[in-house]
Amino acid sequence: KSAVYMEGVSYKYPDSDTPALRDINFEADFGELVLLVGPSGCGKSTFARIFNGLIPNFYGGELTGRISIAGLDPRKTPTPKFAGLVGFMFQNPENQLFFNSVERELAFGLENLGIPPEEIRRRVDETLKEYGLEELRHRSPFELSGGQQQKVALASVMVMKPRILILDEPTANLDPLSAMRTLGIVAKKTREYNMLTILIEHRLEIALQFATRVVVMLDGRIVADGDPLDTVSKA
Ligand code: ADP
Ligand code: ADP
C-alpha cells in the first residue's frame, strides 16, 4: 500500500469558478523525495495543502476524487489528526513561529504529542545541533534573519519526525550554500526516517541533485512525472 494515493482528484477554492486542481493522479511511497515544479499559480501549494488536510478543512471548497494520505481521507479526518503524521513548512517562516525562544519553538509540537520531557530534551538538542542552531537556542525567532527563521521552521518540523514531509520553498531565504546544505539534510532524513518528502523548490539546479522523482504541474494538472533529469528535459 502506498504512502499517498490520489485518483481523479479535482479541487475548487470556495469563491472561484475555475478549478485549482484538475484530475490529479498521483501515487508515492515512503522513501521518495518528490520535487514538484511548474510556473507560479499552477497549483503546487494547493496540491501540497491536501496532504495535511488544510484542504478542505481550513480552506473549504470542493475536493473530489479518491484520496488516501497514509490511509486517511482529509475530508473525513480532523486536521489535528495529521499533526504527528505530516510535517508542513510554509513559504513564509514567520507564519509558523510562535514562541519567544528557538528552543521552545522546537519543543512545542512534541509537548502537544505527549512525548516525555526527557525525550523532548534529547530530540531538541539533537535537532538544534543538526541544523547549526545551538548558538541561537535562547534567542527569539522573531529577531533572527530570514534564513535563520527558515532553518528554525524546518527544524521544528523535522524534530517531530513526520512520516510525510511537505516543504514549500524551504530555501527561499537561504544563500546558495545554506540551501544546498539544508536540502542535503532533507534528503538524508528522507532516507533515514523512510519519509515521503514533497518538495516545492525553484532552485532546480540544487533540488535535482537530491530528488528521486520530479512531478511537473501546469494549469492544475500533472503533465509529467518520473525520473528527475528525463522529466525536466521533456517538460
Ligand atoms: P506563489 O505563487 O508563490 O505560490 P502567491 O503570491 O500566488 O504565491 O500566493 C501567496 C498567498 O496568497 C498564498 O497563501 C495563496 O494561497 C494566496 N492566494 C493566491 N491566490 C489567491 C487568490 N486568488 N485568492 C486568495 N488567496 C490567494
Ligand atoms: P502555486 O503554488 O503553483 O504558485 P497555487 O496553488 O498557489 O499555485 O495556486 C493555484 C491557483 O489557485 C491559482 O490560480 C491561485 O490564484 C489560486 N489560489 C491559491 N490560493 C487560493 C485561495 N486561498 N483562494 C482562492 N484561490 C486560490
mmCIF file of all heavy atoms in Angstrom, residues 38-75:
data_model
loop_
_atom_site.group_PDB
_atom_site.id
_atom_site.type_symbol
_atom_site.label_atom_id
_atom_site.label_comp_id
_atom_site.label_asym_id
_atom_site.label_seq_id
_atom_site.Cartn_x
_atom_site.Cartn_y
_atom_site.Cartn_z
ATOM 1 N N GLY A 38 6.740 23.780 -11.597
ATOM 2 C CA GLY A 38 5.733 24.333 -12.500
ATOM 3 C C GLY A 38 5.633 25.827 -12.254
ATOM 4 O O GLY A 38 6.036 26.305 -11.193
ATOM 5 N N PRO A 39 5.081 26.555 -13.226
ATOM 6 C CA PRO A 39 5.023 28.013 -13.105
ATOM 7 C C PRO A 39 4.157 28.474 -11.930
ATOM 8 O O PRO A 39 3.293 27.728 -11.464
ATOM 9 C CB PRO A 39 4.404 28.452 -14.434
ATOM 10 C CG PRO A 39 3.759 27.248 -15.006
ATOM 11 C CD PRO A 39 4.485 26.062 -14.475
ATOM 12 N N SER A 40 4.389 29.673 -11.459
ATOM 13 C CA SER A 40 3.606 30.260 -10.378
ATOM 14 C C SER A 40 2.120 30.185 -10.715
ATOM 15 O O SER A 40 1.723 30.462 -11.844
ATOM 16 C CB SER A 40 4.045 31.713 -10.183
ATOM 17 O OG SER A 40 3.373 32.250 -9.086
ATOM 18 N N GLY A 41 1.321 29.756 -9.749
ATOM 19 C CA GLY A 41 -0.123 29.680 -9.954
ATOM 20 C C GLY A 41 -0.603 28.369 -10.568
ATOM 21 O O GLY A 41 -1.794 28.199 -10.807
ATOM 22 N N CYS A 42 0.290 27.403 -10.808
ATOM 23 C CA CYS A 42 -0.117 26.146 -11.470
ATOM 24 C C CYS A 42 -0.777 25.181 -10.496
ATOM 25 O O CYS A 42 -1.337 24.176 -10.914
ATOM 26 C CB CYS A 42 1.062 25.482 -12.158
ATOM 27 S SG CYS A 42 2.260 24.774 -11.022
ATOM 28 N N GLY A 43 -0.692 25.452 -9.174
ATOM 29 C CA GLY A 43 -1.392 24.595 -8.220
ATOM 30 C C GLY A 43 -0.494 23.823 -7.249
ATOM 31 O O GLY A 43 -0.983 22.960 -6.528
ATOM 32 N N LYS A 44 0.779 24.145 -7.198
ATOM 33 C CA LYS A 44 1.708 23.390 -6.343
ATOM 34 C C LYS A 44 1.332 23.493 -4.863
ATOM 35 O O LYS A 44 1.217 22.487 -4.174
ATOM 36 C CB LYS A 44 3.156 23.888 -6.535
ATOM 37 C CG LYS A 44 3.660 23.780 -7.969
ATOM 38 C CD LYS A 44 5.112 24.221 -8.098
ATOM 39 C CE LYS A 44 5.341 25.707 -7.803
ATOM 40 N NZ LYS A 44 4.666 26.618 -8.751
ATOM 41 N N SER A 45 1.131 24.730 -4.385
ATOM 42 C CA SER A 45 0.784 24.905 -2.963
ATOM 43 C C SER A 45 -0.568 24.282 -2.665
ATOM 44 O O SER A 45 -0.771 23.681 -1.600
ATOM 45 C CB SER A 45 0.746 26.384 -2.589
ATOM 46 O OG SER A 45 1.988 26.983 -2.830
ATOM 47 N N THR A 46 -1.491 24.417 -3.596
ATOM 48 C CA THR A 46 -2.825 23.842 -3.425
ATOM 49 C C THR A 46 -2.734 22.322 -3.274
ATOM 50 O O THR A 46 -3.316 21.742 -2.355
ATOM 51 C CB THR A 46 -3.715 24.219 -4.625
ATOM 52 O OG1 THR A 46 -3.759 25.643 -4.724
ATOM 53 C CG2 THR A 46 -5.120 23.681 -4.474
ATOM 54 N N PHE A 47 -1.974 21.696 -4.156
ATOM 55 C CA PHE A 47 -1.740 20.252 -4.094
ATOM 56 C C PHE A 47 -1.162 19.880 -2.721
ATOM 57 O O PHE A 47 -1.631 18.952 -2.067
ATOM 58 C CB PHE A 47 -0.785 19.881 -5.228
ATOM 59 C CG PHE A 47 -0.432 18.428 -5.329
ATOM 60 C CD1 PHE A 47 -1.402 17.466 -5.544
ATOM 61 C CD2 PHE A 47 0.894 18.021 -5.230
ATOM 62 C CE1 PHE A 47 -1.063 16.119 -5.652
ATOM 63 C CE2 PHE A 47 1.244 16.680 -5.341
ATOM 64 C CZ PHE A 47 0.262 15.724 -5.547
ATOM 65 N N ALA A 48 -0.158 20.655 -2.275
ATOM 66 C CA ALA A 48 0.504 20.370 -1.000
ATOM 67 C C ALA A 48 -0.464 20.473 0.183
ATOM 68 O O ALA A 48 -0.333 19.743 1.159
ATOM 69 C CB ALA A 48 1.684 21.315 -0.803
ATOM 70 N N ARG A 49 -1.442 21.366 0.087
ATOM 71 C CA ARG A 49 -2.380 21.579 1.201
ATOM 72 C C ARG A 49 -3.340 20.419 1.420
ATOM 73 O O ARG A 49 -4.020 20.371 2.447
ATOM 74 C CB ARG A 49 -3.195 22.851 0.964
ATOM 75 C CG ARG A 49 -2.406 24.120 1.183
ATOM 76 C CD ARG A 49 -3.203 25.355 0.800
ATOM 77 N NE ARG A 49 -2.329 26.513 0.810
ATOM 78 C CZ ARG A 49 -2.378 27.496 -0.082
ATOM 79 N NH1 ARG A 49 -3.288 27.471 -1.060
ATOM 80 N NH2 ARG A 49 -1.538 28.501 0.003
ATOM 81 N N ILE A 50 -3.430 19.505 0.443
ATOM 82 C CA ILE A 50 -4.268 18.317 0.642
ATOM 83 C C ILE A 50 -3.607 17.365 1.633
ATOM 84 O O ILE A 50 -4.268 16.696 2.413
ATOM 85 C CB ILE A 50 -4.510 17.583 -0.698
ATOM 86 C CG1 ILE A 50 -5.320 18.471 -1.648
ATOM 87 C CG2 ILE A 50 -5.239 16.261 -0.481
ATOM 88 C CD1 ILE A 50 -5.515 17.859 -3.026
ATOM 89 N N PHE A 51 -2.269 17.370 1.622
ATOM 90 C CA PHE A 51 -1.524 16.381 2.407
ATOM 91 C C PHE A 51 -1.694 16.554 3.909
ATOM 92 O O PHE A 51 -1.550 15.600 4.662
ATOM 93 C CB PHE A 51 -0.029 16.426 2.060
ATOM 94 C CG PHE A 51 0.271 15.870 0.708
ATOM 95 C CD1 PHE A 51 0.066 16.621 -0.434
ATOM 96 C CD2 PHE A 51 0.744 14.580 0.573
ATOM 97 C CE1 PHE A 51 0.336 16.111 -1.687
ATOM 98 C CE2 PHE A 51 1.019 14.052 -0.686
ATOM 99 C CZ PHE A 51 0.812 14.821 -1.810
ATOM 100 N N ASN A 52 -1.907 17.773 4.373
ATOM 101 C CA ASN A 52 -2.085 17.962 5.819
ATOM 102 C C ASN A 52 -3.515 18.329 6.167
ATOM 103 O O ASN A 52 -3.796 18.768 7.265
ATOM 104 C CB ASN A 52 -1.111 19.021 6.348
ATOM 105 C CG ASN A 52 -1.281 20.343 5.658
ATOM 106 O OD1 ASN A 52 -2.125 20.454 4.770
ATOM 107 N ND2 ASN A 52 -0.513 21.330 6.050
ATOM 108 N N GLY A 53 -4.418 18.158 5.211
ATOM 109 C CA GLY A 53 -5.826 18.363 5.487
ATOM 110 C C GLY A 53 -6.275 19.823 5.507
ATOM 111 O O GLY A 53 -7.443 20.107 5.749
ATOM 112 N N LEU A 54 -5.332 20.770 5.252
ATOM 113 C CA LEU A 54 -5.749 22.189 5.191
ATOM 114 C C LEU A 54 -6.801 22.356 4.102
ATOM 115 O O LEU A 54 -7.727 23.153 4.235
ATOM 116 C CB LEU A 54 -4.559 23.103 4.898
ATOM 117 C CG LEU A 54 -3.641 23.446 6.069
ATOM 118 C CD1 LEU A 54 -2.552 24.399 5.620
ATOM 119 C CD2 LEU A 54 -4.434 24.063 7.218
ATOM 120 N N ILE A 55 -6.622 21.603 3.022
ATOM 121 C CA ILE A 55 -7.693 21.457 2.028
ATOM 122 C C ILE A 55 -8.286 20.077 2.240
ATOM 123 O O ILE A 55 -7.562 19.089 2.222
ATOM 124 C CB ILE A 55 -7.146 21.610 0.590
ATOM 125 C CG1 ILE A 55 -6.851 23.092 0.321
ATOM 126 C CG2 ILE A 55 -8.138 21.073 -0.452
ATOM 127 C CD1 ILE A 55 -6.263 23.383 -1.048
ATOM 128 N N PRO A 56 -9.584 19.966 2.533
ATOM 129 C CA PRO A 56 -10.567 21.047 2.540
ATOM 130 C C PRO A 56 -10.844 21.653 3.930
ATOM 131 O O PRO A 56 -11.612 22.595 4.013
ATOM 132 C CB PRO A 56 -11.822 20.321 2.061
ATOM 133 C CG PRO A 56 -11.709 18.968 2.685
ATOM 134 C CD PRO A 56 -10.228 18.647 2.723
ATOM 135 N N ASN A 57 -10.236 21.136 5.003
ATOM 136 C CA ASN A 57 -10.701 21.506 6.346
ATOM 137 C C ASN A 57 -10.556 22.983 6.700
ATOM 138 O O ASN A 57 -11.405 23.541 7.374
ATOM 139 C CB ASN A 57 -10.005 20.640 7.399
ATOM 140 C CG ASN A 57 -10.373 19.180 7.254
ATOM 141 O OD1 ASN A 57 -11.550 18.851 7.143
ATOM 142 N ND2 ASN A 57 -9.388 18.304 7.215
ATOM 143 N N PHE A 58 -9.472 23.621 6.246
ATOM 144 C CA PHE A 58 -9.291 25.042 6.549
ATOM 145 C C PHE A 58 -9.788 25.931 5.413
ATOM 146 O O PHE A 58 -10.491 26.919 5.637
ATOM 147 C CB PHE A 58 -7.809 25.327 6.846
ATOM 148 C CG PHE A 58 -7.511 26.778 7.066
ATOM 149 C CD1 PHE A 58 -7.830 27.380 8.287
ATOM 150 C CD2 PHE A 58 -6.929 27.542 6.064
ATOM 151 C CE1 PHE A 58 -7.556 28.726 8.484
ATOM 152 C CE2 PHE A 58 -6.668 28.894 6.262
ATOM 153 C CZ PHE A 58 -6.979 29.490 7.471
ATOM 154 N N TYR A 59 -9.463 25.570 4.171
ATOM 155 C CA TYR A 59 -9.814 26.421 3.024
ATOM 156 C C TYR A 59 -11.250 26.225 2.547
ATOM 157 O O TYR A 59 -11.783 27.077 1.850
ATOM 158 C CB TYR A 59 -8.846 26.167 1.860
ATOM 159 C CG TYR A 59 -7.491 26.788 2.082
ATOM 160 C CD1 TYR A 59 -6.468 26.088 2.710
ATOM 161 C CD2 TYR A 59 -7.237 28.096 1.685
ATOM 162 C CE1 TYR A 59 -5.228 26.661 2.933
ATOM 163 C CE2 TYR A 59 -6.000 28.686 1.903
ATOM 164 C CZ TYR A 59 -5.005 27.966 2.526
ATOM 165 O OH TYR A 59 -3.788 28.553 2.744
ATOM 166 N N GLY A 60 -11.857 25.091 2.904
ATOM 167 C CA GLY A 60 -13.193 24.807 2.381
ATOM 168 C C GLY A 60 -13.093 24.429 0.911
ATOM 169 O O GLY A 60 -12.079 23.915 0.469
ATOM 170 N N GLY A 61 -14.150 24.713 0.145
ATOM 171 C CA GLY A 61 -14.118 24.408 -1.278
ATOM 172 C C GLY A 61 -14.515 22.978 -1.554
ATOM 173 O O GLY A 61 -14.933 22.245 -0.655
ATOM 174 N N GLU A 62 -14.383 22.604 -2.830
ATOM 175 C CA GLU A 62 -14.923 21.339 -3.303
ATOM 176 C C GLU A 62 -13.786 20.418 -3.739
ATOM 177 O O GLU A 62 -13.124 20.674 -4.739
ATOM 178 C CB GLU A 62 -15.816 21.669 -4.511
ATOM 179 C CG GLU A 62 -16.832 20.647 -4.865
ATOM 180 C CD GLU A 62 -17.610 21.132 -6.088
ATOM 181 O OE1 GLU A 62 -18.136 22.264 -6.053
ATOM 182 O OE2 GLU A 62 -17.637 20.385 -7.076
ATOM 183 N N LEU A 63 -13.566 19.361 -2.956
ATOM 184 C CA LEU A 63 -12.488 18.409 -3.233
ATOM 185 C C LEU A 63 -13.107 17.074 -3.628
ATOM 186 O O LEU A 63 -13.854 16.488 -2.851
ATOM 187 C CB LEU A 63 -11.622 18.253 -1.977
ATOM 188 C CG LEU A 63 -10.446 17.285 -2.029
ATOM 189 C CD1 LEU A 63 -9.406 17.714 -3.058
ATOM 190 C CD2 LEU A 63 -9.807 17.160 -0.639
ATOM 191 N N THR A 64 -12.818 16.602 -4.841
ATOM 192 C CA THR A 64 -13.404 15.346 -5.309
ATOM 193 C C THR A 64 -12.313 14.372 -5.755
ATOM 194 O O THR A 64 -11.176 14.772 -6.002
ATOM 195 C CB THR A 64 -14.374 15.575 -6.487
ATOM 196 O OG1 THR A 64 -13.651 16.229 -7.539
ATOM 197 C CG2 THR A 64 -15.546 16.450 -6.096
ATOM 198 N N GLY A 65 -12.674 13.101 -5.847
ATOM 199 C CA GLY A 65 -11.735 12.072 -6.278
ATOM 200 C C GLY A 65 -11.366 11.161 -5.122
ATOM 201 O O GLY A 65 -11.832 11.351 -4.002
ATOM 202 N N ARG A 66 -10.540 10.162 -5.418
ATOM 203 C CA ARG A 66 -10.115 9.216 -4.366
ATOM 204 C C ARG A 66 -8.809 9.697 -3.755
ATOM 205 O O ARG A 66 -7.863 10.021 -4.463
ATOM 206 C CB ARG A 66 -9.928 7.824 -4.959
ATOM 207 C CG ARG A 66 -11.250 7.174 -5.334
ATOM 208 C CD ARG A 66 -11.021 5.779 -5.879
ATOM 209 N NE ARG A 66 -10.310 4.938 -4.906
ATOM 210 C CZ ARG A 66 -9.821 3.733 -5.204
ATOM 211 N NH1 ARG A 66 -9.915 3.252 -6.419
ATOM 212 N NH2 ARG A 66 -9.199 3.015 -4.271
ATOM 213 N N ILE A 67 -8.762 9.746 -2.415
ATOM 214 C CA ILE A 67 -7.570 10.243 -1.722
ATOM 215 C C ILE A 67 -7.270 9.384 -0.505
ATOM 216 O O ILE A 67 -8.145 9.134 0.319
ATOM 217 C CB ILE A 67 -7.770 11.696 -1.217
ATOM 218 C CG1 ILE A 67 -8.196 12.612 -2.357
ATOM 219 C CG2 ILE A 67 -6.488 12.213 -0.555
ATOM 220 C CD1 ILE A 67 -8.543 14.018 -1.910
ATOM 221 N N SER A 68 -6.003 8.973 -0.389
ATOM 222 C CA SER A 68 -5.530 8.358 0.844
ATOM 223 C C SER A 68 -4.174 8.950 1.195
ATOM 224 O O SER A 68 -3.223 8.880 0.426
ATOM 225 C CB SER A 68 -5.417 6.846 0.663
ATOM 226 O OG SER A 68 -4.575 6.321 1.659
ATOM 227 N N ILE A 69 -4.102 9.581 2.355
ATOM 228 C CA ILE A 69 -2.844 10.108 2.875
ATOM 229 C C ILE A 69 -2.480 9.207 4.048
ATOM 230 O O ILE A 69 -3.064 9.345 5.127
ATOM 231 C CB ILE A 69 -2.989 11.575 3.364
ATOM 232 C CG1 ILE A 69 -3.664 12.473 2.322
ATOM 233 C CG2 ILE A 69 -1.635 12.142 3.810
ATOM 234 C CD1 ILE A 69 -2.897 12.704 1.052
ATOM 235 N N ALA A 70 -1.561 8.270 3.823
ATOM 236 C CA ALA A 70 -1.233 7.250 4.833
ATOM 237 C C ALA A 70 -2.516 6.640 5.405
ATOM 238 O O ALA A 70 -2.656 6.464 6.615
ATOM 239 C CB ALA A 70 -0.359 7.836 5.938
ATOM 240 N N GLY A 71 -3.457 6.356 4.534
ATOM 241 C CA GLY A 71 -4.702 5.712 4.954
ATOM 242 C C GLY A 71 -5.809 6.673 5.360
ATOM 243 O O GLY A 71 -6.933 6.257 5.591
ATOM 244 N N LEU A 72 -5.491 7.969 5.453
ATOM 245 C CA LEU A 72 -6.505 8.944 5.879
ATOM 246 C C LEU A 72 -7.081 9.702 4.687
ATOM 247 O O LEU A 72 -6.365 10.064 3.765
ATOM 248 C CB LEU A 72 -5.900 9.968 6.850
ATOM 249 C CG LEU A 72 -5.261 9.450 8.130
ATOM 250 C CD1 LEU A 72 -4.669 10.614 8.929
ATOM 251 C CD2 LEU A 72 -6.289 8.698 8.980
ATOM 252 N N ASP A 73 -8.370 9.945 4.751
ATOM 253 C CA ASP A 73 -9.020 10.813 3.782
ATOM 254 C C ASP A 73 -9.229 12.175 4.452
ATOM 255 O O ASP A 73 -9.952 12.266 5.441
ATOM 256 C CB ASP A 73 -10.372 10.202 3.389
ATOM 257 C CG ASP A 73 -11.101 11.045 2.343
ATOM 258 O OD1 ASP A 73 -10.820 12.265 2.244
ATOM 259 O OD2 ASP A 73 -11.949 10.482 1.638
ATOM 260 N N PRO A 74 -8.563 13.231 3.936
ATOM 261 C CA PRO A 74 -8.653 14.538 4.611
ATOM 262 C C PRO A 74 -10.083 15.066 4.744
ATOM 263 O O PRO A 74 -10.355 15.887 5.619
ATOM 264 C CB PRO A 74 -7.808 15.460 3.726
ATOM 265 C CG PRO A 74 -7.566 14.732 2.458
ATOM 266 C CD PRO A 74 -7.717 13.274 2.741
ATOM 267 N N ARG A 75 -11.005 14.562 3.918
ATOM 268 C CA ARG A 75 -12.401 15.006 4.007
ATOM 269 C C ARG A 75 -13.109 14.401 5.209
ATOM 270 O O ARG A 75 -14.176 14.859 5.600
ATOM 271 C CB ARG A 75 -13.154 14.627 2.728
ATOM 272 C CG ARG A 75 -12.712 15.457 1.542
ATOM 273 C CD ARG A 75 -13.128 14.828 0.230
ATOM 274 N NE ARG A 75 -12.455 13.556 0.014
ATOM 275 C CZ ARG A 75 -12.411 12.930 -1.158
ATOM 276 N NH1 ARG A 75 -13.002 13.442 -2.211
ATOM 277 N NH2 ARG A 75 -11.771 11.785 -1.291
#
